[in-house]
Amino acid sequence: MHEHVAKGLRIVGRRVINGVWRLGYASRFFLFTLARSATSFRRFRGLTFREIYFAGVLSLIIIIVSGLFVGMVLGLQGYETLQRYGSSEAVGTLVALSLTRELGPVVSALLFASRAGSAMTAEIGLMKATEQISAMEMMAVDPIARVIGPRFWGGVISMPLLAAMFSAVGVFGGYLIAVVVIGVDEGAFWSQMQSAVDFRQDIVNGVIKSVVFGVAVTAIALFEGYDAPPTAEGVSGATTRTVVTSSLAILGLDFVLTAFMFKGI
Amino acid sequence: MDRTLLDLWVGIFVAIGIAALFVLALKVGNAGTTFNTGATYHVNAEFDNIGGLKVRAPVKSAGVVVGRVEDIQFDSKKFTARVTMKIDKRYEFPKDTSVSILTSGLLGEQYVGLDAGGDSDMLKDGDTLKLTQSAVVLEKLIGQFLYNKAAEGGSK
């Protein structure tokens, strides 16, 4: 009996210590990435540009298509509820506010984590498994400056642009459904939206959110890849952990940021 | 360095991203009015009760938005609310303009209404409006109504 309890406690203790250990290692990794990111900017065209292409340009299709559908669903559902209270013109306000404040940054970051984050983890994990990272160190090339830094900045630059596209396309989707299909008055749709959405309060805060999510997702993805055990199983596990951890981080950070940003409203 | 196809794609990506931000700022949001801080002048007014008036609420005259509420302070000497308004330079109002706090619709947001007077002198920056009418507080109105009813019943 006592042995079982002791064994259970040992397992819990090991998990906790390992978790704290990894957190510390991850923080040091993140600081190193920031400290050595001078290379990413000095060789911006050669290194970081390529990563903007992989993280940003290749995510364009999924971001635009899902933005359109999310906006269309918001338009349909919003109209359905608002017309009961005779204020169906407010559907523009509903679509624009929910997209710029929450759904644009959050959903595009979730898509970005599963589309680009998992790819980053798998790429770096495989580079490590096939000993490319060790080979770089042997040649006195700093892998953090050469491999991690450009990917980090590529992701951080791409994320707010993708979130802005998501919101803009989503508003267009809401317009298509509410105005073109259902027939809400076009002037009221836009004017109510414009009087309700504040540039500083809503749009700038949404951009700040997406920058924070971009930092979180790319940092988690790169660390998981760098820390992955150099086996096929290790890389697959790290890829899964990237998606799970960064999704949780996005939603948790979103709550914290929202509590700070919109407490006065 | 040669131009590559990669440059084209990244260029398209960044251009679409920035265009989306502009669309959000100008078409969806009200950046046009946020940045339009050029020509305005300030006018103060003191109210006994401002109800639910908030900073950035519109200032309207004849239903047209002519400015915004910039600041609301409590005057601890007179026990009144001091409302500072920012009014567009294009619109001038006489010195004896009366100002009241109104509600758009039955349950809508509150705004400041200006009714022009007949004075030939115009308001200048920093002036204080004398004729003010406070917000209607629904509870007080109902209380007054009930009191009157009770008084009627007593006289019969």
Side-chain angles (χ1 to χ4, degrees), chain B:
Chain B
M1 270 202 288
D2 295 322
R3 280 200 282 181
T4 60
L5 204 59
L6 193 78
D7 291 345
L8 176 70
W9 279 112
V10 174
I12 291 172
F13 171 67
V14 174
I16 298 177
I18 291 172
L21 270 179
F22 265 96
V23 167
L24 284 180
L26 297 173
K27 185 83 183 169
V28 177
N30 53 1
T33 54
T34 307
F35 293 134
N36 186 13
T37 52
T40 55
Y41 62 100
H42 294 91
V43 174
N44 302 314
E46 275 166 13
F47 293 95
D48 292 331
N49 192 333
I50 58 163
L53 190 73
K54 294 202 172 59
V55 174
R56 282 190 48 75
V59 176
K60 294 184 186 178
S61 186
V64 181
V65 177
V66 296
R68 298 226 169 247
V69 172
E70 193 167 63
D71 191 31
I72 299 173
Q73 295 283 334
F74 182 65
D75 188 335
S76 55
K77 291 214 177 66
K78 295 185 206 160
F79 303 110
T80 53
R82 189 177 176 79
V83 175
T84 306
M85 289 165 280
K86 188 170 75 175
I87 296 172
D88 199 314
K89 265 258 160 64
R90 286 177 297 171
Y91 308 118
E92 288 192 319
F93 289 94
K95 271 237 154 58
D96 60 345
T97 295
S98 74
V99 50
S100 44
I101 295 176
L102 305 166
T103 310
S104 52
L106 196 58
L107 300 165
E109 50 161 11
Q110 289 192 301
Y111 64 96
V112 178
L114 296 179
D115 288 309
D119 206 319
S120 54
D121 285 342
M122 292 299 171
L123 280 171
K124 288 189 296 291
D125 190 53
D127 278 357
T128 301
L129 289 165
K130 300 285 186 303
L131 294 165
T132 63
Q133 190 191 343
S134 293
V136 174
V137 178
L138 213 58
E139 288 90 327
K140 278 189 185 170
L141 212 64
I142 293 169
Q144 223 161 34
F145 175 72
L146 289 177
Y147 185 78
N148 286 346
K149 274 277 168 210
E152 269 175 37
S155 66
K156 268 177 198 169

Side-chain angles (χ1 to χ4, degrees), chain A residues 45 49-50 52-53 56-57 60 64 96 100 158 161-162 164-165 167-168 171 190 193-195 197-199 203 207, chain B residues 1-4 6-7 9-11 13-14 16-18 20-21 23-31 34-35 56:
Chain A
R45 263 290 307 268
F49 233 65
R50 214 183 76 94
I52 295 179
Y53 177 78
V57 178
L60 262 181
I64 286 176
T100 51
S158 305
L161 296 174
L162 289 173
M165 286 176 213
S167 301
V171 169
W190 288 115
M193 183 192 294
Q194 280 163 2
S195 67
V197 179
D198 184 56
F199 178 71
I203 296 172
V207 173
Chain B
M1 270 202 288
D2 295 322
R3 280 200 282 181
T4 60
L6 193 78
D7 291 345
W9 279 112
V10 174
F13 171 67
V14 174
I16 298 177
I18 291 172
L21 270 179
V23 167
L24 284 180
L26 297 173
K27 185 83 183 169
V28 177
N30 53 1
T34 307
F35 293 134
R56 282 190 48 75

